[in-house]
């Protein structure tokens, strides 16, 4: 069953189920495939994590469909939303990266990829890509960088960001633990890699408990100056 | 370049459906999805304001970017400097704001290089409104604040082509509340400190009542020498100070009431029941 925009009323809540007579269903070019993506930037590292569940409505299409895509040796992108648009968008980004590499003889930096993605997304302003993107990587000075996007290309650089179906659950927890928001008299220590990885694992386990579209497994891409390392952690499968 | 591309795309799909006379799968109905058909909502909702006084222009805005109930970003920057004497506040979808700021900066710079003088605010407003005209349904609103040789000016440009010049302008979902405070406290002869305090108060009141505005306040002060930016302030401090003040007032009123009742008791056990 495809969830179209018609299932939602004007206040954003799902409409009550009762039979109102024959209803004409219009074809919707979008579908919501679920998934959550998270990125954290540290002093000299960046993490991009995503769950691996691909769902649609009440069904699960795949339990092994990670949403992090490696772009260069220092940049990873996480895309959640409509899977068809995620695939096309990553293909377009990879093609543009190759073009840049061939004409400029160097790889694109994270900041440049972010600016390019913003223009690619805005190019379809009137029929947008239904994708929530988060780019994580190292900038030219070797510091961690996270860029978060909206579906039409508005972006900015952050320290941490969660996107996708469980983003509203994860973001407040990150604000508290990484941003030290709403806490008084607390020592603000810089985030280490081990602590960040453990935090991401805990945070996704909590998300899988409460969000139906998040679960199955967690894939973390850890980006340091040595390269990109991957870690896979199992999550709830129900 | 992006601007021209999207313009062409719109025309192309219109032509396609007219030629075939059969609604194709991606006909013009999908090429411009209205906000009701899209399954997601773009960032919207804000309070921005600009006003002039004897010592220049003040431009202020909140920093909350919301997305249909979720706060996408509590620390966005809504006021962008275009050049040393011109600053623009935008409200509307975040991506549209970013794009128009970049386009306006580019066009102003090109004009400056070609004609060896800066474009006046009237010219900038006209240019922006002409550029926005093909995108009438985009619903972006801009407040241009200028403090140059010809004196402080503030101008409102809307994406349906409207241009207004005035002394006080406020835009966004929190603007009615901001207007109330500004109309009350504005005088031409204000000092800089009074103006800054007024702008902060206006944004604070708007963020208090409007759900889509909040977090911090950004302030720019533009004079004939250029723009100067005030540090971003968290309105949480302002809120707690306000609460302290209210608490003090209530305590004082309690004391007065008790004193009055003590006096009245002395006149024989008749005391009337008053509230407060």
């Amino acid at each position: 069953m495809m969830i179209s925009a018609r299932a939602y009323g004007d206040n954003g809540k799902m409409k009550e189920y009762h039979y109102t007579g024959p209803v004409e269903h219009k074809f919707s070019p979008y579908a919501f495939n679920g998934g959550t993506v998270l990125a954290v930037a540290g002093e000299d590292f960046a993490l991009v994590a995503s769950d691996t569940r691909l769902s649609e409505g009440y069904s699960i299409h795949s339990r092994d469909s990670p949403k992090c895509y490696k772009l260069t040796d220092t940049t990873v992108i996480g895309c959640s939303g409509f899977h068809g648009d995620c695939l096309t968008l990553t293909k377009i980004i990879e093609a543009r990266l190759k073009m840049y590499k061939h004409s400029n003889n160097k790889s694109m930096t994270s900041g440049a990829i972010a600016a390019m993605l913003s223009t690619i997304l805005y190019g379809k302003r009137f029929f947008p890509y239904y994708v929530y993107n988060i780019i994580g990587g190292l900038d030219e000075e070797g510091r961690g960088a996270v860029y978060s996007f909206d579906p039409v290309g508005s972006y900015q650089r952050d320290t941490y960001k969660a996107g996708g179906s469980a983003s509203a659950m994860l973001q407040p927890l990150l604000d508290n633990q990484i941003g030290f928001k709403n806490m008084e008299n607390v020592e603000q220590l810089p985030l280490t890699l081990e602590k960040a990885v453990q935090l991401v694992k805990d945070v996704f386990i909590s998300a899988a408990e409460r969000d139906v579209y998040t679960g199955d497994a967690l894939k973390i891409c850890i980006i340091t100056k040595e390269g990109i390392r991957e870690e896979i952690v199992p999550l709830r499968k129900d | 370049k992006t601007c021209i591309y999207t313009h062409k795309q719109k025309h192309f799909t219109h032509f396609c459906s007219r030629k075939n006379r059969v609604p194709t799968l991606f006909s013009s109905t999908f090429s411009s999805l209205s906000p009701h058909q899209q399954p997601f909502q773009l960032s919207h909702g804000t309070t921005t304001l600009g006003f002039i006084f004897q010592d220049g222009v003040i431009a202020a805005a909140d920093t909350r970017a919301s997305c249909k109930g979720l706060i996408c970003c509590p620390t966005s920057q809504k006021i962008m400097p275009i050049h040393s004497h011109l600053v623009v506040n935008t409200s509307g979808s975040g991506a549209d704001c970013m794009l128009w700021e970049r386009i306006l900066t580019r066009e102003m710079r090109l004009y400056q290089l070609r004609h060896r003088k800066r474009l006046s605010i009237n010219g900038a407003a006209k240019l922006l409104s002409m550029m926005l005209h093909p995108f009438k349904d985009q619903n972006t609103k801009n407040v241009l604040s200028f403090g140059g040789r010809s004196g402080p000016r503030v101008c409102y440009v809307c994406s349906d082509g409207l241009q207004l010049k005035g002394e006080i302008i406020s835009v966004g979902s929190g603007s009615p509340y901001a207007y109330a405070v500004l109309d009350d406290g504005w005088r031409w002869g204000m000092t800089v400190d009074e103006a800054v305090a007024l702008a902060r108060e206006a944004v604070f009141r708007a963020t208090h009542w409007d759900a889509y505005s909040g977090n911090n306040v950004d302030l720019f002060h533009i004079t004939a020498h250029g723009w100067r930016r005030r540090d971003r302030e968290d309105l949480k401090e302002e809120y707690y100070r306000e609460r302290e003040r209210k608490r003090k007032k209530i305590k004082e009123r309690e004391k007065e009431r008790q004193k009055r009742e003590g006096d009245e008791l002395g006149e024989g056990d008749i005391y009337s029941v008053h509230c407060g």
Side-chain angles (χ1 to χ4, degrees), chain A residues 47-86:
Chain A
L47 293 179
V48 179
S50 78
D51 72 324
T52 58
R53 174 175 288 181
L54 191 72
S55 44
E56 187 173 351
Y58 290 118
S59 342
I60 294 178
H61 286 317
S62 165
R63 294 191 189 277
D64 187 21
S65 165
K67 293 160 192 66
C68 318
Y69 301 92
K70 180 177 151 231
L71 298 178
T72 64
D73 283 330
T74 54
T75 318
V76 172
I77 188 173
C79 313
S80 68
F82 173 40
H83 196 62
D85 277 347
C86 294

Side-chain angles (χ1 to χ4, degrees), chain A residues 197-211:
Chain A
V197 172
Q198 189 52 50
L199 184 67
V200 165
K201 286 180 189 165
D202 290 338
V203 132
F204 263 90
I205 291 171
S206 317
E209 294 286 322
R210 288 288 184 175
D211 182 33

Side-chain angles (χ1 to χ4, degrees), chain A residues 5 12 26-27 29-30 119 122-123 125-130 132 150-156 158 161 167-168 181, chain B residues 2 5-6 9 26 30-33 37-40 42-43 68 70 72-73 75-76 94-96 98-99 135 138:
Chain A
K26 205 169 159 191
F27 173 73
Y30 295 115
T119 49
Y122 200 88
R125 166 71 173 81
F126 300 106
F127 184 15
Y129 289 110
Y130 182 13
Y132 293 95
D150 81 343
V152 271
S154 166
Y155 79 106
Q156 66 166 55
D158 290 311
K161 187 78 177 170
S167 62
K181 299 257 175 81
Chain B
T2 319
Y5 172 69
T6 48
Q9 190 189 42
F26 294 134
F30 287 135
S31 68
S32 45
L33 282 170
Q37 285 172 297
Q38 274 168 4
F40 50 80
L42 306 169
S43 331
K68 204 186 188 181
L70 177 67
C72 289
C73 182
T75 51
S76 61
D96 293 333
M98 264 188 156
L99 177 85
F135 301 95
Q138 243 185 37

Side-chain angles (χ1 to χ4, degrees), chain A residues 131-195:
Chain A
V131 190
Y132 293 95
N133 295 292
I134 304 182
I135 291 183
L138 301 175
D139 64 6
E140 292 98 345
E141 292 152 25
R143 280 201 287 264
V146 163
Y147 297 92
S148 61
F149 293 77
D150 81 343
V152 271
S154 166
Y155 79 106
Q156 66 166 55
R157 185 169 173 174
D158 290 311
T159 320
Y160 53 86
K161 187 78 177 170
S165 58
S167 62
M169 291 177 212
L170 300 184
Q171 190 67 29
L173 184 54
L174 296 176
D175 282 336
N176 182 267
Q177 292 296 309
I178 305 181
F180 302 106
K181 299 257 175 81
N182 305 311
M183 287 216 277
E184 310 255 327
N185 307 320
V186 73
E187 201 186 335
Q188 298 196 2
L189 300 161
L191 195 64
T192 58
L193 178 58
E194 293 74 27
K195 188 152 181 283

